Amino acid sequence: MQTLLNLLAGVALLVWGTHNVRTGILRLFGGELRRLLRRSVKNRGTAFLAGLVVTGLLQSSTATALIVAAFAGQGLIATAPALAVMLGADVGTSLVTLVLSFELNWLAPILIVTGVTLFLRRQDTAYGRFGRILIGLGLILFALQWIRTATQPMVEAAGVKVLFSTLTGDVLLDILVAALAAVAFYSSLAVVLLVATLASLHVIALPVALGLVLGANLGSGLLGMLSTLKSEPEARRVTLGNFLFKLIGCALAIPLIGHAAALAQRAGLPPATAVVVFHLSFNLILAALFVGFTNRIAAVAERLLPSPPAANDPSRPRHLDPSALDTPALAIGNAARETLRIADVIEEMLRGMLVVLRDNDREVAGRLSKRDDIVDKLYTAIKLYLSQASRGALSERESRRLADIVSFTINLEQIGDIIERILEDAVERKIDKGRRFSEAGMAEITDLHGRLVGNLQLATSVFLNGDDKSARELLAQKVLFRDLERKYAEAHLARLAGNTIESIETSSLHLDLISDLRRINSHLCTVAYPILEEAGVLARTRLIEPPPDDPGDLADDAPPPPGRASRAL
């Protein structure tokens, strides 16, 4: 039992090591690798080489498949060149398998010690992330040694012989077992390395090992399809086409397994070497056969997964690429771009609100109220997207930016709710009753509204650029807006005293409206706080120092002392 547990622990460590290398590479070089893929799809040759290089670094063709599928889903890469990338990716992971199969046990402790030292001392820097990659490589080599050690006592066990004897003579069963293992381990690389180790210890015969290699390749294609099940048809075509490559290749290779095993034995190749060479040869031949037929396979994939009728759904996220989650800087950038879409919807609602208030346009009010559903859905999508980003991999600066994005989206969502309520009140308390604001009252609302639109644009600029000067201006506008609210409220009360009929009929709505406009402005101004706080120019308190005989007063709307308007909260 202990021996079996040791073997399982070795396999788990092997999978964890490959995961660490893949994650570390994506977090350190993810942006550059993605740009390389996007720029290298002009022809099949460069696309193939790009897939080979990227996967050679990531040590995972599945990771490359997810990136390329995401590009295809966004319309950045056509299906045919994306499939050429995947052919290169399969060769790349085969080359990695060949390198890791060498006797590099002496290198494992060096990699682990160096990696841990870099990771612990400079965890939030590029050096720390590079240390994580070294740790992963060391764990892979150490896991392979561990598997060899754990497997040796099992070779002579009767139960083990019976277990592995079930894999002898049935190629389809071998392929199925290895395919399921590749999906379970989330790594065909780990499965091939494990098969090579078992073959070297003569736990399984070479023909069985070669059948398992075919299954690992098929499982890799299946894993890509499963990983993109919820993606757009354009994205799923890439993984489907790659699976078709592997399926056809396995069908062609099954009758040749016996000949390949005999050829390896005549050449005097050790079993482990024969396994990894067969793996590499399979993918090289597959690439050579199909690199000229990517257009035909792409056409088959397009027929099997046709695009749905074009529907411009504005509530559907456009920039939240799930394959970028392992690269924090890219994920944060994607979330920021999607946040700007919310800001655009809010500006549309804000501009249309004035039309409703001025012209009593019920149709526009109904249309704008539905726009808040778009805001809510995009806000939820951004929140869920950022929750999937690994917080432990974020630098301090990235953590702050993520918090700023979440804060701004929350405030935009609340602004959408306020505008929706204003529209509902306008319909119920003004349009339905045929009322209108007085000329002076409408002029005041128009003035506040114009300032609000300008402040929304300024807040968006502050969110994008983090400009200290613009942040100061935004908070100065908050003070001015608060003073105007007071001024216009007092003017409205004066009109009531003068028995202005329109003012009397809309008094409650008017006062609620200018208060809601101030609240919207306050939500916009919050984007400036973290920028000014980081710059060290934000006042710590709005409490005015009282005279010795005055206990003081903390009034939210008290004007700031002269000369400090730009620092007031």
Side-chain angles (χ1 to χ4, degrees):
M1 187 63 179
Q2 184 63 45
T3 302
L4 179 59
L5 289 176
N6 287 339
L7 176 60
L8 294 176
V11 174
L13 195 62
L14 177 61
V15 174
W16 180 245
T18 57
H19 170 78
N20 272 279
V21 174
R22 179 174 65 248
T23 304
I25 291 288
L26 281 172
R27 290 171 182 170
L28 190 58
F29 305 113
E32 290 78 5
L33 295 179
R34 293 165 70 87
R35 282 190 289 272
L36 173 63
L37 287 175
R38 286 187 58 182
R39 295 172 181 172
S40 303
V41 294
K42 296 180 180 179
N43 59 68
R44 296 168 185 167
T46 57
F48 175 85
L49 291 175
L52 190 153
V53 171
V54 171
T55 307
L57 292 172
L58 294 180
Q59 299 189 14
S60 172
S61 58
T62 302
T64 305
L66 292 178
I67 295 174
V68 176
F71 286 163
Q74 296 169 5
L76 302 176
I77 298 179
T79 305
L83 291 178
V85 172
M86 291 312 304
L87 289 173
D90 294 332
V91 174
T93 193
S94 303
L95 290 173
V96 172
T97 306
L98 179 63
V99 172
L100 293 177
S101 67
F102 295 148
E103 289 290 339
L104 299 173
N105 297 339
W106 57 272
L107 188 57
I110 298 175
L111 292 173
I112 292 175
V113 170
T114 306
V116 169
T117 302
L118 289 174
F119 185 76
L120 293 180
R121 290 191 175 182
R122 311 186 71 175
Q123 184 170 348
D124 295 331
T125 67
Y127 293 102
R129 294 176 182 178
F130 183 69
R132 182 190 182 112
I133 298 171
L134 296 181
I135 294 172
L137 289 172
L139 289 179
I140 291 174
L141 298 176
F142 184 70
L144 293 173
Q145 181 182 3
W146 191 342
I147 290 172
R148 293 188 188 100
T149 303
T151 308
Q152 286 175 352
M154 301 174 62
V155 177
E156 300 301 327
V160 173
K161 292 181 178 179
V162 172
L163 175 65
F164 283 104
S165 67
T166 61
L167 299 176
T168 303
D170 192 337
V171 179
L172 293 180
L173 177 61
D174 299 343
I175 290 175
L176 177 63
V177 170
L180 294 177
V183 173
F185 294 168
Y186 203 81
S187 172
S188 61
L189 171 65
V191 174
V192 174
L193 289 173
L194 176 62
V195 169
T197 302
L198 295 177
S200 68
L201 297 172
H202 304 288
V203 176
I204 54 178
L206 184 56
V208 174
L210 300 187
L212 293 173
V213 168
L214 293 180
N217 280 275
L218 191 63
S220 174
L222 180 61
L223 180 59
M225 291 182 61
L226 293 175
S227 300
T228 57
L229 274 180
K230 297 182 179 180
S231 301
E232 300 83 358
E234 293 81 3
R236 289 158 53 203
R237 290 171 191 162
V238 177
T239 54
L240 173 61
N242 189 47
F243 178 76
L244 292 176
F245 284 147
K246 294 178 181 294
L247 185 63
I248 297 172
C250 287
L252 295 175
I254 287 175
L256 304 176
I257 286 180
H259 299 289
L263 181 62
Q265 291 171 348
R266 285 198 299 270
L269 293 178
T273 304
V275 167
V276 295
V277 168
F278 177 78
H279 180 47
L280 176 60
S281 301
F282 173 78
N283 284 290
L284 282 173
I285 295 173
L286 204 64
L289 287 176
F290 289 109
V291 73
F293 295 93
T294 53
N295 287 327
R296 295 187 181 182
I297 297 295
V300 172
E302 289 169 1
R303 285 198 297 270
L304 294 176
L305 293 173
S307 298
N312 185 20
D313 183 3
S315 66
R316 178 180 175 182
R318 298 176 184 172
H319 307 296
L320 303 183
D321 179 3
S323 70
L325 286 170
D326 287 328
T327 310
L330 291 176
I332 291 173
N334 290 340
R337 292 174 67 191
E338 204 67 52
T339 301
L340 295 180
R341 292 190 61 213
I342 298 181
D344 290 340
V345 177
I346 291 296
E347 182 171 351
E348 178 189 350
M349 294 177 67
L350 197 58
R351 290 183 181 276
M353 182 181 70
L354 183 64
V355 176
V356 175
L357 296 173
R358 184 186 60 223
D359 302 334
N360 281 359
D361 195 324
R362 187 190 306 272
E363 181 180 348
V364 173
R367 177 171 55 82
L368 292 178
S369 293
K370 295 178 181 179
R371 305 296 284 178
D372 185 56
D373 295 335
I374 299 175
V375 173
D376 293 340
K377 290 179 180 179
L378 291 178
Y379 162 71
T380 301
I382 293 172
K383 181 176 61 176
L384 293 176
Y385 182 76
L386 290 178
S387 69
Q388 298 175 58
S390 177
R391 300 301 178 93
L394 299 178
S395 65
E396 183 179 352
R397 181 179 180 181
E398 290 169 340
S399 296
R400 287 198 303 268
R401 182 57 174 163
L402 187 147
D404 292 345
I405 293 173
V406 171
S407 175
F408 193 49
T409 54
I410 289 174
N411 282 287
L412 289 176
E413 191 272 337
Q414 292 176 345
I415 290 172
D417 291 342
I418 295 173
I419 295 175
E420 183 182 27
R421 189 176 65 252
I422 290 174
L423 294 171
E424 291 173 351
D425 285 348
V427 171
E428 181 180 348
R429 299 162 65 181
K430 182 172 179 284
I431 298 176
D432 287 348
K433 297 181 179 181
R435 295 171 177 172
R436 291 187 176 274
F437 294 117
S438 66
E439 185 176 343
M442 193 65 230
E444 294 166 357
I445 292 171
T446 301
D447 179 45
L448 291 177
H449 177 272
R451 294 177 184 275
L452 202 56
V453 172
N455 288 348
L456 171 60
Q457 295 171 345
L458 183 59
T460 303
S461 175
V462 171
F463 171 74
L464 273 178
N465 305 318
D467 179 47
D468 183 7
K469 181 179 178 181
S470 298
R472 288 173 181 264
E473 182 182 350
L474 188 59
L475 286 194
Q477 287 294 322
K478 180 179 181 180
V479 176
L480 178 60
F481 206 96
R482 188 175 60 228
D483 291 343
L484 284 175
E485 181 209 5
R486 283 194 197 141
K487 175 183 175 181
Y488 291 155
E490 292 171 357
H492 176 75
L493 294 176
R495 289 193 295 274
L496 290 180
N499 292 323
T500 303
I501 300 301
E502 294 91 341
S503 298
I504 294 173
E505 290 179 341
T506 60
S507 177
S508 175
L509 177 61
H510 185 96
L511 293 175
D512 287 346
L513 178 58
I514 61 176
S515 177
D516 284 336
L517 294 180
R518 181 183 65 82
R519 287 184 58 205
I520 292 174
N521 192 68
S522 297
H523 282 299
L524 292 175
C525 293
T526 56
V527 72
Y529 293 159
I531 296 169
L532 297 181
E533 184 178 5
E534 185 177 358
V537 297
L538 192 66
R540 296 183 60 188
T541 176
R542 296 177 56 207
L543 181 66
I544 300 175
E545 291 295 334
D549 57 345
D550 187 347
D553 180 28
L554 183 60
D556 179 67
D557 291 327
R564 294 188 60 189
S566 64
R567 294 181 62 198
L569 296 184

